[in-house]
Amino acid sequence: MSSNFHIRKVAVLGAGVMGAQIAAHLVNANVPTILFDLPAKEGDPNGIVNKALDGLKKLEPSPLASPARLNFITAANYDQHLDKLRDCDLVIEAIAERMDWKSELYHKVAPYLGEQTIFASNTSGLSINQLAQAFPEILRHRFCGIHFFNPPRYMHLVELIPCAQTEASLLDQLETFLVSGLGKGVVRAKDTPNFIANRIGTFSLLATLHHADRLGLSFDTVDALTGSYLGRPKSATFRTLDVVGLDTFAHVVDTMRDNLHDDPWHAYFAVPDWLNGLIEQGALGQKSRRGVYQKVGKEIHVLDLHTKAYRLSAGKVDDTVKELLRQRDWAAKLEGLRNSAHPQAQFVWSVFRDVFHYCGVHLPRIADNARDLDLGMRWGFGWHSGPFETWQAAGWQKVLGWINEERAAGKTMSAAELPHWAQDAARTGVHSAQGSYSPALGIDQPRSVLPVYRRQEFPDRLLGEAAVYGVTIFENESVRMWHGSDDIAILSFNSKMHIIGDEVLDGILRAVDEAEANWRGLIIWQTEPPFSAGANLLQLMQVVQPPSEDAGMFDKLKQAANRVKYTVAGGGGLSQVLNAATGNVPHVESVVAKFQQVTKRIKYAQVPVVSAVDGLALGGGCEIIMHSARVVATLESYIGLVEVGVGILPAGGGSKEAALRAAQEAKGGDLFPFLKRYFQNIAMGEVFKSAELAREMGYLRAGDRIVMNHFELLHVAKNELRALTATDYRPPLPPTQIPVAGRTGTATLQAAMINMLEGGFISAHDYKVGCAVADTLCGGDVEAGSLVDEQWLLELERKHFLALLATDKTQERIDYMLKNGKPLRN
């Protein structure tokens, strides 16, 4: 196989839930994909696939980074299009978990595979070696398992499982594609039923079912206990089962029961009667709108096993147990739970104990090392810490003693003895700076040395692995500027959710000065997402609504706003407002002006400032990236100018930049269609739920980069910065002639909003905010086609920001957001 083997086109066999979503994620990564299924019995032979593609548009969260990506999936069927497989470098089989069906399909497609085509099964638990028997022996070296987790776009884990004949170099190439091309975390699993994550995850669910029944806990109480308190997804246990599908869970349990007869926990590999009853009724969970839970109007109801009927969900955690669960120290938390007599505490401890026990006994059988098991659970099931990490954090020997004591007393689900490696008296854990323990090798096994992992300067680390974020250049409570072993400076925010307050703005200004003086360039990158949730609203309100001695300031601002006609056409609108008011009003203006100064400083710095974005980049965070020389964003970046949600408008240069980009996109033609798009996005406070959508809407530019794997983000950002400085870097020249739509454009936008106001779709204050946005984007009270500069637009931003801030409705919105974390419609 060529050392430069590229996966240029992929075929997915099976247009069911997983197959269609795998195809969607492949085209998210710019990989043209053919989606196959059986020919429809009537009408269009591709009808089954086309129906599946239509279904992708309706799913939430969306499997597609953009609806436009759907155009890169080609519909096909097995009767007419098998010849198309010859052009595919990878074929992924994703049909139902039936060995006979899969074998039949393999016999059918094998003659059509290209000479170097990799063929992989997306089975969640069937034997890869047994599946390989359906392939001609000459092709088995190109066969393996490739298990995506649902939903494929969002779940980081992919398990890669070789058969006995799989070519080692093929696995390396496939892992490289999965990691860098699709953005996945790859764990190589042994060919055992359900592999790693489903094996441990399913046992954890079975242990939860067992102990909930033993202690008489309701489903909603179990979910209240097993969600965020344990570092698990909010869907916890039974809501997760509804999302996965009760029938799917039952199938996975059946796989364990039918294939793991010698497992010491085999007696528990069965689903309870009540769950089988729901499946028989067709109550399969979310996909059938009824399972353990069902939605009744706006209320969530849960099945009550005592009455066999649904009731309002109201699961509560006992206050004493809640205090134990809130402890950050795992040793204190588990000891407190174990020593408590409360059934809820005993439930949580019992589940942890039995999962530890199961993992300790089975690690040598199912994984090469403890790292693969823990990362499998983190990436595949959304656990904050893997089972071994938790055990190690709580004190290996202490927990070991508890397990042995309760095993001897008959309290554990199995009497199986932990292996010698786990009982070693010198053992303090399984993860260290040198690697993670491998029972087969008897050592701490280092991480993979595949070249693709050199792109991850800071991979997802486990307990015992420290991340050293370079050498500090300067640091305070708000920001840290640092560097690695190169000539590129990095700025990271220290604020919660990386919100942008006065001190962060000062830090950015200092960092740009330092970068210009001593460094090749500056990257704004956070060591943990999000990039930034926006401006510090609390700090802003403390300025706007100061202590009682300055309580009249806000009224003064309102009075000034009422007295002065808001227009910069005469050249002094904003300054007149500020001169007419007293108190802290000038300081409010200075905060806004400083934000504008910062974004201008970023844009016109003498060295490139690159924003490396992962997660939220909202409001002020979006304004920072819009002014950067280059943006490198992960696909799962959620970007938007959302200020209208709190009754203000983007005033850190965001509105100005939107008007400028609309003019640039119009290229001298009709400006209004481009301007209208930016207006709608800002006025509706749209958040674009992928970097691809943000680029389509203009918040990212064509030259900005989208990265699939967020652990590669810093690496790509550095390379982009180096590319910018490969020649003599020069910042853009400030535009002096920006065409604007003027009062005609404003009037057109206002007319559309009046219709929405009269129809009850927006409130009077929404209309007021929208008018401010329209006036700013259209350049104020000037003739259509007038030419303005950036400063003109910045003045408009600040003017309207202050005017809106002076209203009771905006104050109420900001206050409500700070108290409740969600917008107020007033």
Side-chain angles (χ1 to χ4, degrees):
M1 188 171 287
S2 170
S3 60
N4 284 332
F5 182 73
H6 298 289
I7 293 180
R8 296 158 297 182
K9 183 182 288 187
V10 176
V12 177
L13 309 183
V17 173
M18 282 300 290
Q21 292 197 55
I22 290 170
H25 192 59
L26 285 162
V27 294
N28 288 341
N30 294 328
V31 181
T33 301
I34 307 171
L35 182 59
F36 280 82
D37 212 299
L38 295 166
K41 294 179 180 179
E42 297 178 358
D44 183 353
N46 292 331
I48 293 174
V49 174
N50 287 329
K51 183 178 179 180
L53 296 179
D54 286 339
L56 290 175
K57 303 173 188 176
K58 303 169 186 175
L59 290 176
E60 282 294 333
S62 176
L64 295 159
S66 161
R69 294 275 128 182
L70 208 56
N71 298 325
F72 300 99
I73 301 177
T74 302
N77 67 79
Y78 302 127
D79 282 4
Q80 296 176 303
H81 304 120
L82 287 180
D83 276 339
K84 294 178 181 289
L85 293 176
R86 300 189 196 280
D87 298 327
C88 296
D89 303 300
L90 172 64
V91 176
I92 300 172
E93 170 269 304
I95 68 170
E97 292 286 88
R98 284 271 302 266
M99 186 72 72
D100 54 340
W101 291 358
K102 290 179 185 287
S103 297
E104 181 183 348
L105 181 61
Y106 295 0
H107 284 296
K108 179 183 290 187
V109 303
Y112 296 91
L113 300 178
E115 292 183 3
Q116 296 193 63
T117 301
I118 300 171
F119 192 96
S121 174
N122 182 57
T123 178
S124 61
L126 297 180
S127 170
I128 298 302
N129 281 291
Q130 190 174 344
L131 286 170
Q133 298 308 306
F135 257 72
E137 189 171 354
I138 196 172
L139 297 180
R140 289 177 195 164
H141 67 288
R142 292 190 272 125
F143 178 76
C144 65
I146 178 173
H147 179 210
F148 289 84
F149 276 67
N150 190 23
R153 171 182 166 184
Y154 299 98
M155 297 308 293
H156 191 58
L157 179 65
V158 170
E159 291 175 320
L160 198 55
I161 314 101
C163 71
Q165 295 95 343
T166 306
E167 189 176 310
S169 61
L170 175 148
L171 285 174
D172 291 347
Q173 290 166 335
L174 191 52
E175 183 166 351
T176 297
F177 168 69
L178 292 168
V179 170
S180 198
L182 299 188
K184 297 304 176 186
V186 172
V187 167
R188 296 202 185 186
K190 296 184 178 182
D191 187 21
T192 57
N194 290 342
F195 313 125
I196 298 175
N198 269 352
R199 177 80 171 267
I200 301 303
T202 301
F203 175 78
S204 176
L205 289 167
L206 289 170
T208 301
L209 289 171
H210 168 71
H211 290 299
D213 179 64
R214 179 176 67 85
L215 292 162
L217 301 185
S218 65
F219 299 140
D220 48 346
T221 298
V222 169
D223 279 351
L225 288 162
T226 58
S228 56
Y229 283 125
L230 303 185
R232 310 280 171 83
K234 290 182 180 178
S235 56
T237 299
F238 293 104
R239 281 173 291 173
T240 296
L241 289 181
D242 273 354
V243 172
V244 169
L246 301 187
D247 55 336
T248 302
F249 173 66
H251 173 79
V252 175
V253 173
D254 288 346
T255 300
M256 293 175 68
R257 185 191 65 231
D258 296 342
N259 295 282
L260 292 169
H261 297 287
D262 60 346
D263 191 303
W265 285 264
H266 185 268
Y268 297 96
F269 295 168
V271 297
D273 291 341
W274 63 261
L275 197 148
N276 274 324
L278 288 175
I279 294 172
E280 290 170 3
Q281 296 169 27
L284 306 179
Q286 186 171 280
K287 57 190 172 186
S288 63
R289 299 189 179 182
R290 184 166 74 91
V292 178
Y293 292 89
Q294 71 171 351
K295 195 170 184 180
V296 179
K298 294 185 178 181
E299 296 177 339
I300 303 298
H301 288 226
V302 63
L303 181 65
D304 189 314
L305 287 183
H306 297 293
T307 64
K308 303 292 192 285
Y310 288 87
R311 60 164 173 79
L312 187 65
S313 177
K316 299 287 185 183
V317 178
D318 177 81
D319 288 341
T320 60
V321 177
K322 191 180 297 183
E323 288 305 309
L324 293 171
L325 292 174
R326 282 175 171 167
Q327 294 198 57
R328 294 180 179 274
D329 179 69
W330 275 108
K333 180 184 288 189
L334 291 186
E335 185 163 16
L337 291 168
R338 181 174 183 264
N339 292 336
S340 171
H342 197 287
Q344 292 183 3
Q346 280 299 303
F347 161 77
V348 176
W349 158 247
S350 298
V351 173
F352 270 112
R353 176 201 63 210
D354 287 317
V355 170
F356 294 157
H357 190 192
Y358 192 83
C359 291
V361 169
H362 286 299
L363 174 62
R365 298 177 177 88
I366 65 175
D368 291 330
N369 54 62
R371 174 178 53 251
D372 289 347
L373 190 150
D374 275 351
L375 289 180
M377 295 312 299
R378 284 167 53 168
W379 295 344
F381 278 75
W383 292 13
H384 184 267
S385 299
F388 284 127
E389 284 185 289
T390 305
W391 183 349
Q392 180 171 328
W396 188 273
Q397 292 298 324
K398 180 181 285 188
V399 173
L400 174 65
W402 292 340
I403 295 172
N404 284 335
E405 178 185 331
E406 298 188 13
R407 185 178 65 85
K411 294 182 178 180
T412 55
M413 291 170 67
S414 166
E417 187 175 358
L418 283 163
H420 292 301
W421 70 264
Q423 304 224 46
D424 183 347
R427 179 165 300 284
T428 58
V430 291
H431 301 301
S432 69
Q434 288 69 47
S436 296
Y437 185 72
S438 167
L441 300 176
I443 60 170
D444 287 348
Q445 187 175 8
R447 286 176 177 263
S448 171
V449 294
L450 279 179
V452 69
Y453 292 110
R454 296 175 198 157
R455 299 166 62 87
Q456 299 185 12
E457 292 193 37
F458 302 100
D460 201 357
R461 63 187 184 276
L462 292 156
L463 185 70
E465 296 179 316
V468 180
Y469 295 107
V471 178
T472 299
I473 300 170
F474 74 83
E475 184 173 15
N476 54 43
E477 290 185 357
S478 299
V479 301
R480 177 179 182 246
M481 187 180 187
W482 55 283
H483 69 92
S485 57
D486 51 30
D487 55 357
I488 295 172
I490 300 167
L491 184 69
S492 303
F493 300 170
N494 291 332
S495 52
K496 184 178 180 181
M497 294 290 286
H498 305 131
I499 58 174
I500 305 164
D502 205 34
E503 299 82 1
V504 171
L505 295 175
D506 288 336
I508 296 172
L509 291 172
R510 180 179 171 185
V512 175
D513 289 344
E514 169 67 26
E516 284 183 333
N518 298 305
W519 301 92
R520 186 171 186 168
L522 177 66
I523 295 174
I524 302 176
W525 175 78
Q526 317 299 359
T527 58
E528 299 287 344
F531 179 78
S532 175
N536 188 337
L537 291 176
L538 179 60
Q539 190 178 71
L540 178 64
M541 287 300 286
Q542 287 171 341
V543 172
V544 172
Q545 297 178 325
S548 57
E549 58 267 26
D550 293 320
M553 183 280 301
F554 215 91
D555 288 334
K556 294 171 185 176
L557 177 58
K558 293 178 188 176
Q559 293 165 10
N562 290 332
R563 285 198 300 268
V564 180
K565 181 181 179 182
Y566 274 74
T567 172
V568 292
L574 178 64
S575 61
Q576 289 176 35
V577 173
L578 298 177
N579 290 335
T582 57
N584 284 340
V585 178
H587 186 56
V588 176
E589 191 274 339
S590 71
V591 172
V592 182
K594 183 187 285 188
F595 211 128
Q596 293 180 341
Q597 177 193 1
V598 165
T599 53
K600 285 177 66 177
R601 190 77 178 89
I602 288 171
K603 185 173 183 176
Y604 297 114
Q606 293 304 305
V607 295
V609 178
V610 174
S611 285
V613 180
D614 185 27
L616 301 177
L618 304 179
C622 182
E623 290 177 303
I624 284 176
I625 71 174
M626 291 178 75
H627 289 80
S628 300
R630 182 78 83 246
V631 180
V632 179
T634 64
L635 183 73
E636 301 309 326
S637 294
Y638 302 91
I639 298 170
L641 294 169
V642 297
E643 287 84 350
V644 296
V646 289
I648 51 180
L649 83 172
S655 299
K656 174 268 299 179
E657 197 67 17
L660 173 59
R661 292 188 182 192
Q664 291 170 337
E665 291 167 21
K667 298 179 180 178
D670 184 5
L671 170 63
F672 193 76
F674 302 95
L675 196 67
K676 181 181 177 182
R677 187 185 79 235
Y678 283 104
F679 168 77
Q680 288 174 334
N681 292 337
I682 294 173
M684 297 298 292
E686 289 282 359
V687 177
F688 298 104
K689 295 180 180 178
S690 77
E692 187 63 44
L693 279 174
R695 179 151 63 188
E696 290 178 9
M697 292 300 116
Y699 288 177
L700 300 185
R701 296 153 298 188
D704 292 331
R705 297 284 181 256
I706 296 176
V707 177
M708 297 301 291
N709 195 316
H710 66 107
F711 293 112
E712 295 183 357
L713 182 61
L714 183 59
H715 170 84
V716 177
K718 286 185 174 183
N719 281 343
E720 286 296 309
L721 192 147
R722 292 186 184 105
L724 288 169
T725 56
T727 56
D728 187 26
Y729 176 78
R730 287 283 184 266
L733 296 172
T736 57
Q737 294 188 325
I738 305 168
V740 294
R743 63 179 73 93
T744 302
T746 301
T748 304
L749 295 173
Q750 285 177 339
M753 286 189 291
I754 287 173
N755 290 334
M756 295 183 70
L757 178 64
E758 292 177 347
F761 297 106
I762 62 174
S763 68
H765 196 59
D766 291 330
Y767 176 75
K768 185 180 184 70
V769 176
C771 288
V773 173
D775 188 67
T776 303
L777 295 185
C778 293
D781 189 17
V782 295
E783 293 291 333
S786 296
L787 301 177
V788 302
D789 60 13
E790 283 189 309
Q791 192 56 38
W792 178 279
L793 294 171
L794 289 172
E795 286 278 337
L796 278 170
E797 278 188 355
R798 286 152 61 196
K799 175 191 74 173
H800 285 301
F801 182 92
L802 287 172
L804 291 170
L805 201 59
T807 64
D808 291 334
K809 296 291 188 183
T810 287
Q811 290 181 68
E812 291 169 6
R813 289 190 179 190
I814 295 175
D815 189 56
Y816 190 87
M817 175 65 77
L818 288 170
K819 291 178 179 176
N820 300 283
K822 56 185 179 181
L824 171 68
R825 176 80 185 276
N826 63 352

